[in-house]
Amino acid sequence: MTGGRVSRGKIDNFFFSCLPTTWLAVLRIGSGLAILVYALSLREDWTYLFSGTGRGLISRNLGEQILSLDGVVIPRLGWLIGLGSYVSLSEKAVLFLTWISLVVAGGFLIAGLFCRFSAIVAWLIHLCAAKSGGLVTYGVDNFITIALFYLMLSPLPDRYALDQVWLRWNPRHKELLGFYRRVLQIHLCLIYFFGGITKCLGSGWWNGANIWRAMTRPPFDIISAEVLFKWKYFLPAAGIAICVIETGYPLFIWMRKTRLLWLLLVLGMHVMIGFSMGMFLFALIMIVLNLAAFGPDFSFNSAAILRKAAPKEHNSTEILSNSLVP
Amino acid sequence: MKAVLSRRAKQIYLACFFAHCLLISTVCCNETFRLISEGFTIVRGMPNEVWRGARELTAATLGQNLPASNPVRQGEAAYLHLAGIEAGYGFFAPNIPAAYKLIFEIHYSDGQVEYETPRARTAAGELRLAGLLDKIGARRYDPLRELMIKLLAHAVWREHPKAVMIRAIFGSINPPKLAEFEAGPDASYEFLYSYDFVLRDQAIPIAKP
C-alpha cells in the first residue's frame, strides 16, 4: 500500500467513520429540550421582546436595522411578519405562530418525529428571533444556533428517533455521522481554547476577583455576597481552574487518560454556572454539546469503537454500518 | 442499499470543514486582538500597532474591509450568522464589566413623581433585559444609546399614559471588591447619563430596514 493511500485511509477513518448514532440522538434530544426551555421560559415575554416600534420593550425594527449593517440576507422575524401580512396576519399573530412553531418543533425533535424538518424549522425560527432581537440576546443564542445548525445538516434520523422506529426512515450517507461529530468536536475545542485564552489575558481570573465580580453582579448574584465571602480563599483556585479547564480542553479531551476527567470537569463547570448564576439554559446547551461531541461511544480512533462494537470475526466499518447503525 | 460517499464528495466536505474552522478561528482571533489592542488585557511589551495590524488582517479575512454592499462580504456575514459563529467566545473575559441600571423618573402634570425600572415578566426575560442594559452601556455612539433609552422610556410611558415627562437616568453598579467587602458590603452606583423625554401621543419613528 502506498503512503498516499495510507494517509488517505487515516483521513477517511478520522473524518468519515460510520459511527453509532447515539451522539446524534443526544444532540437531537438535547437541542429539542433547549428549544423547548427557550420558548417556554420566554412565553410571557415573547411578544413584548420581539414587537415592532412602540409595541414592545425595545423596537424589533431597531434590532433589524442594526443587523442590516452586518448583512441584508440574514434571516429575521421581519421577513416572517412581512409574509404574514400578505395573508392579513397581524404582527402579534405571526409572533404567536412563531412561538407555537418553536414549541412544536422542540417537541418533535425530542420525540424524533420528522427530525430533519423539525430541526430546520427550529433553527430558522430561533435564528430569526435571535437576529431580530439582537439587542436582547446573549451567548446562549449562539450556542443554540450552533447546535441546531449541525443537527439539521447531520444524517438524521438516529436509531432512537420515531422516524426510524415507526417510519423506518434511514439516513443515506452514514459516513457523515463521523464527519459531523468531528466538526462539532473541533468546534468545541476552538470555543473552549479561545474562551480560556481570553480569560487568561485578564488579571482578575488569576486572583479570584473575576469570580467574585461575576457572582456578585446583578442579575447573576443568586448566592449572597456574605456566603460567597466565606469561600474567599477558594475563589482564586476556582478562577485558575476555569482558565486551565477551558484552555487545556483541546489537549486533554483528546488524550485517552484524561478524556473522562476533562469531560466531567467541563460538565461540572457548566452545572456550577447554571446553578450559581441562574444561567440554566446556557448550562443545558453546553452540556448537550459536550455530551454529543465527547460523550457516549467517543474514541479518538473511530476504528476502535467499530472493532469493539462489531463481531470479532468482522473488522470493517461496513459490518458496523450494517449491524449497529440501524 | 447503503449509499457510499464518492472521493470527490469527501474532498468537498473536507474543504468545507477547513473553511468553516478557518472562519471560526478568524472570528475568535479578531475578538482577541481587539481586546489586546484596546488595552483590556495583561498583555504588555508589544506595541498596540502590532495587535491592531493583526486585527486588520483578520477583519480582511472576514471581508469586513470590503464595501458593505460587496457580495463576498454579504455572503460571508450571512454564513457566519446562519452557523452561529459570528461572535467570539470571550464571555466574562478578559474581565467582568460593570452592571448597568436604568431608572425612569416619571413626572405627571400635577407635580407627582414616580420611579420605575424597565421590567420583563419572566426570569429569562430579566436575564435578556440585563444584557440589553449592558449593550446600552457599551455603546460608544451617543445618538444610538439615546435612541435605545428613548424606546425603553416609550415602553414605560405606555403603562403611564398620563405622564408628561420621563427622565431616564442611566448608571453603572459596581459591586464591592473582595478586599473591600468586610469594610462595607454595599455596591456603589455611578451616574453616567440622563435624558429627559417630553411626551406626546405619537409613535417613535424607526424606519424599517
Side-chain angles (χ1 to χ4, degrees):
Chain A
M1 198 187 285
T2 65
R5 277 188 188 168
V6 171
S7 58
R8 193 185 292 170
K10 282 182 178 172
I11 290 173
D12 269 11
N13 181 41
F14 187 77
F15 281 105
F16 298 103
S17 297
C18 303
L19 299 177
T21 55
T22 320
W23 78 270
L24 192 54
V26 171
L27 185 64
R28 171 180 58 76
I29 295 169
S31 303
L33 197 60
I35 277 293
L36 259 188
V37 172
Y38 167 81
L40 293 176
S41 66
L42 284 174
R43 70 190 182 285
E44 287 175 40
D45 278 324
W46 188 259
T47 313
Y48 189 53
L49 289 177
F50 299 117
S51 285
T53 308
R55 293 181 293 279
L57 173 72
I58 194 158
S59 168
R60 188 195 68 250
N61 306 98
L62 177 63
E64 291 181 355
Q65 268 196 328
I66 294 172
L67 181 67
S68 291
L69 297 177
D70 258 7
V72 291
V73 289
I74 303 163
R76 58 201 71 188
L77 285 174
W79 291 359
L80 303 180
I81 289 164
L83 278 176
S85 68
Y86 282 114
V87 285
S88 305
L89 283 176
S90 66
E91 178 194 61
K92 201 173 176 182
V94 174
L95 287 176
F96 179 69
L97 280 177
T98 54
W99 184 82
I100 285 286
S101 307
L102 262 188
V103 173
V104 172
F108 275 29
L109 278 179
I110 292 172
L113 207 53
F114 309 115
C115 293
R116 173 99 48 210
F117 182 71
S118 303
I120 292 171
V121 168
W123 167 78
L124 181 64
I125 294 178
H126 172 267
L127 187 71
C128 287
K131 296 304 150 192
S132 291
L135 295 170
V136 287
T137 56
Y138 62 105
V140 72
D141 293 300
N142 277 85
F143 289 112
I144 294 178
T145 303
I146 289 167
L148 291 170
F149 182 75
Y150 290 140
L151 181 68
M152 70 173 186
L153 293 176
S154 296
L156 290 161
D158 57 84
R159 65 186 300 191
Y160 305 101
L162 288 181
D163 278 348
Q164 194 157 111
V165 177
W166 285 356
L167 305 172
R168 305 276 168 211
W169 288 355
N170 277 304
R172 193 150 171 257
H173 294 294
K174 288 171 180 169
E175 304 105 306
L176 291 179
L177 276 167
F179 178 77
Y180 282 109
R181 193 177 201 193
R182 286 288 183 235
V183 179
L184 179 59
Q185 288 169 341
I186 289 166
H187 193 163
L188 274 184
C189 288
L190 291 171
I191 287 171
Y192 284 112
F193 177 71
F194 280 101
I197 282 287
T198 325
K199 286 187 180 73
C200 290
L201 297 178
S203 57
W205 286 98
W206 298 100
N207 56 18
N210 277 359
I211 297 270
W212 167 263
R213 199 170 161 85
M215 295 177 75
T216 53
R217 175 193 191 275
F220 308 119
D221 50 346
I222 287 181
I223 298 174
S224 80
E226 284 80 10
V227 172
L228 206 58
F229 188 75
K230 288 178 186 162
W231 291 83
K232 64 178 177 180
Y233 297 111
F234 174 73
L235 299 181
I240 293 168
I242 288 175
C243 289
V244 172
I245 290 170
E246 291 198 0
T247 314
Y249 186 92
L251 178 66
F252 295 109
I253 202 75
W254 290 103
M255 289 165 60
R256 193 183 302 275
K257 285 182 180 170
T258 52
R259 186 176 305 145
L260 181 62
L261 171 70
W262 228 256
L263 183 62
L264 292 175
L265 284 172
V266 167
L267 295 182
M269 181 180 79
H270 287 300
V271 169
M272 290 294 287
I273 290 172
F275 282 102
S276 64
M277 298 173 75
M279 300 172 81
F280 299 108
L281 185 57
F282 183 78
L284 172 66
I285 193 68
M286 293 314 295
I287 289 169
V288 166
L289 287 172
N290 271 287
L291 283 179
F294 294 104
D297 306 323
F298 171 64
S299 168
F300 181 80
N301 180 3
S302 303
I305 315 170
L306 308 184
R307 275 195 298 274
K308 204 171 153 188
K312 277 185 182 173
E313 62 270 27
H314 303 295
N315 191 16
S316 74
T317 57
E318 184 63 30
I319 290 296
L320 182 90
S321 58
N322 289 336
S323 60
L324 281 183
V325 184
Chain B
M1 181 82 183
K2 188 170 103 69
V4 177
L5 276 180
S6 67
R7 169 89 7 226
R8 185 88 179 153
K10 285 182 179 176
Q11 285 168 349
I12 292 170
Y13 274 104
L14 283 177
C16 292
F17 165 78
F18 286 115
H20 185 69
C21 288
L22 177 70
L23 285 175
I24 297 170
S25 306
T26 308
V27 168
C28 293
C29 287
N30 183 272
E31 177 68 10
T32 310
F33 295 149
R34 181 187 70 79
L35 292 168
I36 298 174
S37 67
E38 293 179 3
F40 292 119
T41 68
I42 54 175
V43 176
R44 300 284 181 271
M46 271 220 265
N48 281 350
E49 285 69 33
V50 174
W51 299 110
R52 269 197 286 273
R55 194 183 172 207
E56 282 289 309
L57 191 67
T58 51
T61 311
L62 296 171
Q64 289 172 353
N65 295 348
L66 297 169
S69 58
N70 186 293
V72 174
R73 178 176 172 165
Q74 288 285 331
E76 217 167 331
Y79 178 76
L80 293 176
H81 281 272
L82 296 184
I85 56 173
E86 80 281 5
Y89 303 104
F91 307 116
F92 288 124
N95 287 307
I96 315 286
Y100 295 94
K101 188 161 188 172
L102 180 60
I103 299 168
F104 294 112
E105 199 177 82
I106 306 164
H107 293 255
Y108 293 91
S109 54
D110 60 359
Q112 188 192 344
V113 176
E114 280 180 17
Y115 291 90
E116 186 85 88
T117 53
R119 277 198 303 261
R121 298 179 185 103
T122 58
E126 287 290 339
L127 211 56
R128 287 169 187 278
L129 184 58
L132 171 62
L133 296 181
D134 287 350
K135 287 188 180 96
I136 293 174
R139 290 281 163 198
R140 292 174 189 175
Y141 184 55
D142 287 340
L144 181 56
R145 186 192 313 112
E146 184 177 344
L147 176 61
M148 289 161 85
I149 293 177
K150 189 190 239 180
L151 289 164
L152 289 171
H154 192 263
V156 170
W157 177 53
R158 286 199 307 274
E159 291 174 17
H160 303 267
K162 290 182 180 168
V164 290
M165 198 264 276
I166 291 182
R167 174 168 294 150
I169 303 157
F170 190 78
S172 65
I173 304 172
N174 290 297
K177 288 180 182 164
L178 186 55
E180 300 165 351
F181 183 75
E182 266 184 321
D186 287 339
S188 62
Y189 179 82
E190 186 186 350
F191 168 81
L192 293 174
Y193 314 101
S194 167
Y195 304 94
D196 286 353
F197 302 113
V198 178
L199 300 163
R200 294 184 297 274
D201 193 7
Q202 59 182 38
I204 297 169
I206 303 276
K208 285 190 177 175

